[in-house]
Amino acid sequence: MAFPITRMRRLRKNEALRRMVRETSLSVDDFIYPLFVVYGENKKIPVTSMPGVYQLSCDMLESEIQETVDLGIPAVLLFGIPENKDAAASSAYDDNGVVQQAVRLIKDRWPELLVITDVCLCEYTDHGHCGVVTGTGTIDNDATLELLAQEALSHAKAGADIVAPSDMMDGRIGYIREALDASGFADTAVMAYAAKYASGFYGPFREAAESAPQFGDRKTYQMDPANSREALREIELDLAEGADIIMVKPALAYLDVIARVRERFNHPLAAYNVSGEYAMVKAAAANGWLDEERIMMEVLTAIKRAGADIIITYFAKEAARLLG
């Protein structure tokens, strides 16, 4: 019925009513908190483009993990910054690598916390690309798969609950799944960066992970931002190869993609609220242009409303305190 019988404002008149009819609710259980781990001791190195984010040595990681657990955040996502880089990304699959050390530390002290590891080569290669570079400067997809499988297996041996391939090589989910299963890690889950776009929103992350490509760009393996039907094909392939959780990255500029994926697939869906999205809010708030807490919660709610079950976000601790 039309006005005046129907008055939409009736259910908005106070906070209790608004809460009762609210369609989308955030929970601390929705969050994964990304962390950057470096070699050494007593290291807590600020990432200048991401206020509140640090590169942490394992000893400094302990207080960060304790706070994460105390806030009820169920999972962390680890990125490693190695001491040495080479063309073969050998530090990525070193069983005593920085991520492997961090995983063992966390699972020993906080076994209930889910530990997810980023599986990619870009932080570990001297050229900064996510795969093996040929003599002509192209990325060799199939040669990369073996190194990614070695990295994922090394993380699983260290105790990772979930491995998260972010490289966007064709066939890597199946290759990793087969390697894990053959080595007795059938229970280690795979979270696929299934629709990862070649986005400009990754700039601050590349500072944090020291992973900027030394030549060219990543457009031959990450997705064209103009495409959404292609994302559905990528996700369908990753699921067929054994992905347990699928992901869209970035989140804010791709809410339509998240919504399309949610409508098409019933699998657990993650979205990555990436570094550039975080940095924009922090920078605007620092200049007094917006209310940081309000915008943070609005952004996270939008990602959940679009259809994400899981949100990877640098805001995890701040949002958890508010949801408290």
Side-chain angles (χ1 to χ4, degrees):
M1 293 185 181
F3 177 85
I5 301 299
T6 300
R7 291 180 179 266
M8 298 297 289
R9 290 179 56 192
R10 286 191 189 113
L11 300 182
R12 300 174 192 157
K13 69 179 183 178
N14 59 49
E15 178 59 20
L17 269 171
R18 291 192 294 272
R19 285 205 321 270
M20 188 170 66
V21 300
R22 188 161 290 151
E23 299 172 20
T24 304
S25 296
L26 280 174
S27 164
V28 174
D29 292 336
D30 301 331
F31 300 146
I32 296 172
Y33 184 38
L35 292 165
F36 300 94
V37 190
V38 294
Y39 281 101
E41 296 179 349
N42 274 332
K43 289 184 178 177
K44 186 175 183 179
I45 305 166
V47 179
T48 57
S49 56
M50 300 175 70
V53 175
Y54 302 88
Q55 295 176 339
L56 299 164
S57 54
C58 279
D59 58 321
M60 300 298 287
L61 186 66
E62 293 188 37
S63 61
E64 191 79 3
I65 295 296
Q66 187 61 62
E67 185 179 14
T68 301
V69 170
D70 290 344
L71 287 167
I73 297 166
V76 293
L77 173 59
L78 300 181
F79 297 91
I81 298 97
E83 282 187 306
N84 301 300
K85 302 188 180 199
D86 57 37
S90 56
S91 292
Y93 40 88
D94 179 350
D95 286 344
N96 200 37
V98 67
V99 165
Q100 291 83 343
Q101 290 181 34
V103 172
R104 287 193 290 268
L105 168 70
I106 296 168
K107 295 309 290 185
D108 181 60
R109 291 278 304 277
W110 299 275
E112 74 282 7
L113 183 69
L114 280 174
V115 177
I116 306 165
T117 58
D118 179 75
V119 175
C120 196
L121 305 184
C122 61
E123 299 106 307
Y124 305 94
T125 54
D126 51 12
H127 48 70
H129 277 285
C130 302
V132 174
V133 176
T134 68
T136 60
T138 58
I139 308 302
D140 188 328
N141 187 96
D142 295 7
T144 301
L145 301 184
E146 178 60 34
L147 301 186
L148 293 169
Q150 289 183 46
E151 183 181 8
L153 188 55
S154 179
H155 292 175
K157 288 177 180 176
D161 299 289
I162 302 172
V163 293
S166 62
D167 54 283
M168 288 300 287
M169 297 298 127
D170 291 334
R172 88 270 200 220
I173 301 302
Y175 207 95
I176 289 170
R177 182 73 272 161
E178 184 176 344
L180 290 171
D181 291 353
S183 299
F185 294 98
D187 289 337
T188 302
V190 176
M191 179 169 69
Y193 287 66
K196 180 179 179 179
Y197 286 86
S199 170
F201 283 102
Y202 304 149
F205 174 90
R206 291 176 182 173
E207 177 197 349
E210 300 179 9
S211 62
Q214 299 304 299
F215 66 89
D217 54 42
R218 295 175 177 153
K219 292 179 181 178
T220 64
Y221 44 101
Q222 294 178 359
M223 285 182 55
D224 186 336
N227 296 351
S228 62
R229 294 191 301 271
E230 183 184 12
L232 302 182
R233 293 183 64 197
E234 287 278 11
I235 288 167
E236 191 167 40
L237 287 166
D238 282 1
L239 288 171
E241 291 177 20
D244 300 288
I245 302 169
I246 50 180
M247 186 201 302
V248 174
K249 179 184 180 182
L252 279 185
Y254 299 87
L255 293 175
D256 62 315
V257 177
I258 295 169
R260 289 193 70 177
V261 172
R262 177 75 292 151
E263 289 174 3
R264 175 80 171 270
F265 301 101
N266 291 321
H267 294 70
L269 173 59
Y272 201 142
N273 178 212
V274 298
S275 60
E277 298 167 352
Y278 173 88
M280 287 193 304
V281 174
K282 286 290 185 179
N287 280 284
W289 297 337
L290 51 75
D291 180 330
E292 181 178 337
E293 288 187 354
R294 182 176 179 182
I295 295 300
M296 171 183 70
M297 299 306 283
E298 190 171 338
V299 163
L300 296 174
T301 300
I303 297 167
K304 183 83 179 285
R305 188 184 66 238
D309 303 297
I310 300 161
I311 304 172
I312 303 163
T313 179
Y314 304 97
F315 285 121
K317 290 197 305 180
E318 294 165 79
R321 290 188 194 102
L322 286 180
L323 291 169

